[in-house]
Amino acid sequence: MTIRVGESAEAPPFQKAALPLLEDPQLRKNVRHATDVIQRKRGLVVAEQTDWQELRNAASAIKAHTLRHLDHYLVQFERACTAGGGQVHWAADADEANRIIAGLVKQYGGNEVIKIKTMTSDETGLNEALERDGIRAHETDLAELIIQLGRDRPSHIVVPALHKNRSQVREIFRERMHLPELGDQPEDLTAAARHYLREKFLNVKIGVCGANFLVAETGSVCIVESEGNGRMCLTLPDVLISLAGIEKVIPLFQDLEVFLQLLPRSATGERMNPYNSLWTGVHPGDGPKHFHVVLLDNGRTGILADAEARQTLQCIRCAACLNACPVYRQTGGHAYGSSYSGPIGAIVTPQLLNMRQGQTLPYASSLCGACYEVCPVRINIPEVLIHLRGRVVREQKSTLDPEALAMKAAAAIFTSRTRFEAAQRLGRLGQAPMVSKGWMRNLPGMLGNWTRVRDLRALPPQTFREWWKAREKAAGKGSHA
Amino acid sequence: MPETREEILARIRSALRDAGDREVAAERAAIARGYIRSGHLGPEARLHLFMDRLRDYDAHVVETSADSLPRTIAALLAEHNQKKVIAAAGLPEGLLPGELSFIPEKQADIQDLNDCDGIVTICTSAIAATGTIVLTHGPGEGRRRLTLLPDRHLCVVRAEQVVETVPEAIERLGGLATHPLTFISGPSATADIEMTRIRGVHGPRFLEVVLVR
Ligand code: SF4
């Protein structure tokens, strides 16, 4: 079995990958602008939802419960989806998933597919695998189209092209769509995409999508989107193939009432995104005649086995933690070397890879806790980060390089009984020798590479999180958690 | 591969050895759902909230009475000079203005959907708090593509179909859960370029809601 998470296998360590990005002022400006806008919108619609904390608690409990009974709910989903006329496939790793999908496309006589944005297919490298089999994949989400035509990589889970501004997008479209006269207003660019893709929607016979939720009770699949490209791909083709991680299942149809309130507000700062679609197998006379779901493991069962990190699988990929993360906001997503970036990427990528690659990622964080505060399913990301740092050190015992030793020392702190709080307290006491005029310049170990390029504000007397909050407030943004 | 299925399920079961008591239903029933289930607004305030939220997301809203509904629809279509309009199969008798002609959905092929000026449907329910209309694609609501390819969607919502909260809408849908479902909140939109909200990427650029009370 070979587990792959996008391009993570070839990716350099985070601290190294971050360097050129930190020196790209345009990229940093674009990332800052986009995350500021989403955070502001999110703050408004979250404040309006007076039962936000109760919704988060329920979501977290539902997800934790589902994970504890994942075998039960997957089998139930499989049965219900099959009863509705769908076909369910199981894939142990990325290659198996890609093979199944390519096989289906060929079985139905296709040589191209239209795709709804799916991070899971970035994870498996589906487009490249299809390409090798002579199948062309057309991305239809505007941001994914920008990435695909610009031969770029996604840098955000929800808005994958947020590192590009309008004139950069115009250059890509001008060249790849052969539109020399194209203007640079977002309206012009959107209209170009509408025109470019309409013909594909009307002609390509096979659609590929991910899944936001798989409902075990009914066998339904739910896709949440804004542009309508999703609805096009899931209703117009004759064949629809959905690639979904095994953690996407939820028990009841009723559970949607929780997630459909949390996800749009967290992801795009909308009360509800323009379109949510649900379907159950095939619906005679309406939509595709054939429907397949590929359930993907690719390292997820390994995460499930680690009780302290299991909560990682609760993630609904809203990207609120990216937008809130002071590290992500500086670097953007590419430094994480994986389809998953930001705080969730820092915990999910190395775990999917069974801690054999991406070990620097758990250090790509200041443990400020902003990610935990905004997470709609209450994943305690700092706690998981500390746990994973411990694993990195323990599982690399034989490595004698000084950084590993420094990490080992840090791990002794991080794995102590009271964990996060203790680490913070000790951190506050222990950092004195490293502080010069209130700025930390040399942190031990892996984080050292980080501070070499980014001065980190020292913590005392507040925690980073308290400081960050005050800073945001001073900037007029308020706190959104 | 059937072996893969068994292999993954076995890995899950071994990963969950620590999970203890495996009584699924009881554990699920014990999940605390402390969030707001039913709304607290009176009928008037609820409808106002619904209209506000629709307008907030760029939908156009008009109110009318059951008696004037056909006239209101005719006026809206005339306002945008819509001539080639497709009517969803199974619309209630007397909903459409008798003096105008509509293309029946059953006769419209995909090219007609792509070229027409607009379409008329009803819906199953609507959510005030989020400005959402819910289609279950039964009679009068059209196949899913009907409300997707055309540029204008005119949707008739009856006041009693409007609930305040998302949980109320989900509860009402209960028996229809395995139908194809589409939740529509405003016209299609994107903010992928510099987070500027642009209306109408691939779905209808204009959503017109006629509220009948
Ligand atoms: S970890 Fe939480 S905040 Fe981050 S993407 Fe996942 S659900 Fe959203």
Side-chain angles (χ1 to χ4, degrees):
Chain A
M1 197 172 68
T2 39
I3 292 162
R4 204 178 42 243
V5 186
E7 300 171 50
S8 52
E10 301 94 64
F14 177 85
Q15 288 75 1
K16 202 161 162 192
L19 273 171
L21 301 169
L22 291 167
E23 280 154 19
D24 182 343
Q26 186 62 57
L27 178 136
R28 291 179 61 187
K29 205 170 139 214
N30 297 348
V31 172
R32 180 62 65 91
H33 170 74
T35 49
D36 277 351
V37 173
I38 311 179
Q39 288 221 92
R40 198 164 48 238
K41 287 173 64 190
R42 176 192 174 276
L44 292 172
V45 294
V46 165
E48 175 181 294
Q49 188 85 32
T50 54
D51 56 350
W52 187 250
Q53 297 309 333
E54 287 78 11
L55 284 167
R56 288 177 78 212
N57 290 337
S60 175
I62 292 166
K63 282 283 189 177
H65 163 79
T66 315
L67 292 171
R68 272 199 302 277
H69 303 280
L70 192 57
D71 51 339
H72 170 89
Y73 285 120
L74 285 171
V75 170
Q76 191 187 5
F77 170 80
E78 178 186 46
R79 202 182 313 124
C81 176
T82 310
Q87 285 186 55
V88 178
H89 310 256
W90 301 69
D93 62 14
D95 287 339
E96 189 171 6
N98 295 345
R99 250 194 334 267
I100 292 170
I101 295 173
L104 287 169
V105 173
K106 287 189 175 155
Q107 180 194 319
Y108 289 108
N111 58 7
E112 55 182 345
V113 299
I114 43 176
K115 279 184 73 199
I116 311 179
K117 179 170 104 66
T118 137
M119 295 309 296
T120 314
S121 80
D122 285 327
E123 175 186 329
T124 65
L126 177 65
N127 290 6
E128 295 73 22
L130 291 177
E131 182 108 40
R132 283 193 292 276
D133 271 327
I135 300 162
R136 269 201 75 185
H138 304 284
E139 293 291 348
T140 65
D141 171 80
L142 181 54
E144 287 286 353
L145 181 67
I146 295 167
I147 299 289
Q148 189 177 41
L149 294 181
R151 300 185 180 93
D152 200 348
R153 287 185 293 135
S155 71
H156 189 273
I157 303 176
V158 172
V159 203
L162 94 173
H163 58 289
K164 294 281 187 215
N165 68 12
R166 61 184 73 185
S167 56
Q168 294 168 312
V169 174
R170 174 173 65 170
E171 285 321 304
I172 294 168
F173 281 12
R174 264 183 177 171
E175 192 199 316
R176 303 297 308 279
M177 294 181 186
H178 310 294
L179 297 170
E181 306 298 321
L182 185 63
D184 75 348
Q185 292 307 303
E187 287 83 356
D188 304 330
L189 301 167
T190 306
R194 180 181 172 103
H195 185 75
Y196 178 81
L197 287 171
R198 191 49 76 117
E199 176 259 321
K200 305 256 185 299
F201 289 136
L202 295 179
N203 294 305
V204 178
K205 295 293 172 225
I206 302 174
V208 173
C209 64
N212 289 100
F213 306 102
L214 307 172
V215 184
E217 177 186 30
T218 56
S220 316
V221 180
C222 178
I223 294 265
V224 170
E225 53 133 354
S226 297
E227 296 173 9
N229 66 307
R231 292 183 64 200
M232 296 276 183
C233 294
L234 65 89
T235 50
L236 296 180
D238 292 335
V239 181
L240 179 62
I241 305 165
S242 171
L243 171 63
I246 51 174
E247 81 284 14
K248 290 290 169 70
V249 69
I250 57 173
L252 303 176
F253 180 72
Q254 190 204 352
D255 294 329
L256 288 167
E257 73 191 19
V258 176
F259 296 105
L260 291 183
Q261 294 196 78
L262 289 168
L263 179 55
R265 285 174 206 257
S266 299
T268 51
E270 292 170 302
R271 298 186 188 98
M272 194 66 94
N273 44 286
Y275 300 130
N276 299 325
S277 296
L278 278 116
W279 69 95
T280 306
V282 291
H283 301 283
D286 187 349
K289 297 183 188 70
H290 308 279
F291 174 58
H292 296 263
V293 183
V294 180
L295 296 173
L296 176 71
D297 180 349
N298 202 37
R300 287 163 175 76
T301 46
I303 303 182
L304 197 66
D306 182 346
E308 292 182 74
R310 187 176 293 156
Q311 54 179 315
T312 308
L313 296 173
Q314 292 180 195
C315 177
I316 57 172
R317 306 278 187 263
C318 72
C321 59
L322 279 64
N323 304 328
C325 176
V327 175
Y328 176 90
R329 286 160 60 86
Q330 294 289 349
T331 62
H334 290 159
Y336 296 80
S338 150
S339 354
Y340 305 113
S341 54
I344 183 61
I347 62 172
V348 82
T349 304
Q351 291 190 81
L352 286 175
L353 297 165
N354 198 19
M355 309 306 288
R356 282 191 303 269
Q357 281 143 5
Q359 299 102 329
T360 57
L361 288 173
Y363 294 86
S365 165
S366 59
L367 298 178
C368 75
C371 46
Y372 179 32
E373 269 178 56
V374 297
C375 178
V377 289
R378 296 182 51 108
I379 301 174
N380 191 333
I381 297 178
E383 187 180 279
V384 178
L385 282 165
I386 291 165
H387 170 69
L388 295 180
R389 288 178 187 187
R391 279 189 60 188
V392 168
V393 175
R394 281 195 306 277
E395 290 166 29
Q396 296 197 330
K397 265 195 206 99
S398 60
T399 319
L400 278 176
D401 83 43
E403 283 190 331
L405 291 176
M407 284 196 291
K408 204 166 183 172
I413 299 169
F414 291 141
T415 50
S416 76
R417 221 162 19 95
T418 45
R419 312 185 73 78
F420 183 40
E421 283 80 358
Q424 274 205 319
R425 201 154 15 88
L426 286 171
R428 218 177 298 178
L429 298 173
Q431 74 184 5
M434 294 176 280
V435 176
S436 64
K437 299 201 187 82
W439 291 86
M440 297 194 291
R441 288 189 183 276
N442 288 295
L443 286 176
M446 301 304 285
L447 199 55
N449 284 336
W450 173 245
T451 51
R452 220 169 285 149
V453 291
R454 257 333 287 164
D455 283 342
L456 276 185
R457 201 60 154 125
L459 308 191
Q462 309 152 290
T463 62
F464 193 104
R465 176 163 153 188
E466 291 156 353
W467 167 76
W468 183 255
K469 258 187 165 166
R471 205 190 92 120
E472 297 268 295
K473 202 167 274 166
K477 287 180 221 122
S479 155
H480 309 318
Chain B
M1 293 280 163
E3 313 85 85
T4 305
R5 178 184 189 277
E6 295 319 312
E7 180 190 324
I8 292 175
L9 287 172
R11 274 211 296 268
I12 292 172
R13 285 173 190 138
S14 110
L16 292 172
R17 266 176 315 211
D18 70 299
D21 181 9
R22 312 263 299 148
E23 198 358 280
V24 182
E27 191 185 292
R28 189 174 63 218
I31 291 171
R33 293 177 186 266
Y35 51 87
I36 296 168
R37 306 195 57 84
S38 31
H40 62 279
L41 297 175
E44 201 54 34
R46 179 166 69 237
L47 294 177
H48 264 109
L49 179 66
F50 178 52
M51 291 188 285
D52 267 9
R53 295 284 151 94
L54 279 168
R55 291 190 179 113
D56 200 23
Y57 283 158
D58 297 322
H60 181 220
V61 192
V62 289
E63 294 173 78
T64 191
S65 65
D67 288 344
S68 355
L69 177 60
R71 236 175 309 138
T72 309
I73 293 177
L76 275 171
L77 296 178
E79 197 177 314
H80 301 287
N81 200 23
Q82 298 183 69
K83 300 224 164 60
K84 198 177 164 193
V85 179
I86 303 174
L91 280 175
E93 202 70 29
L95 179 134
L96 293 172
E99 71 278 16
L100 298 181
S101 65
F102 292 84
I103 305 168
E105 182 186 2
K106 295 216 162 84
Q107 285 168 26
D109 63 16
I110 202 149
Q111 218 47 55
D112 293 322
L113 292 180
N114 203 34
D115 301 339
C116 71
D117 297 322
I119 48 133
V120 179
T121 74
I122 55 173
C123 67
T124 297
S125 68
I127 310 168
T130 54
T132 304
I133 56 179
V134 184
L135 304 181
T136 57
H137 302 283
E141 299 180 22
R143 295 199 292 163
R144 285 176 287 175
R145 59 177 60 177
L146 179 72
T147 46
L148 179 60
L149 285 167
D151 213 17
R152 286 180 181 275
H153 177 193
L154 190 161
C155 184
V156 177
V157 181
R158 286 180 287 114
E160 66 273 19
Q161 292 181 310
V162 182
V163 296
E164 185 180 331
T165 67
V166 174
E168 288 170 311
I170 294 289
E171 192 180 342
R172 279 201 186 189
L173 281 173
L176 301 169
T178 54
H179 282 221
L181 304 178
T182 309
F183 290 60
I184 299 176
S185 309
S188 94
T190 184
D192 277 351
I193 300 167
E194 293 186 16
M195 302 314 293
T196 308
R197 189 180 162 98
I198 306 293
R199 190 166 63 174
V201 194
H202 301 297
R205 275 185 290 190
F206 304 93
L207 175 65
E208 290 176 314
V209 174
V210 180
L211 181 61
V212 187
R213 42 194 305 192

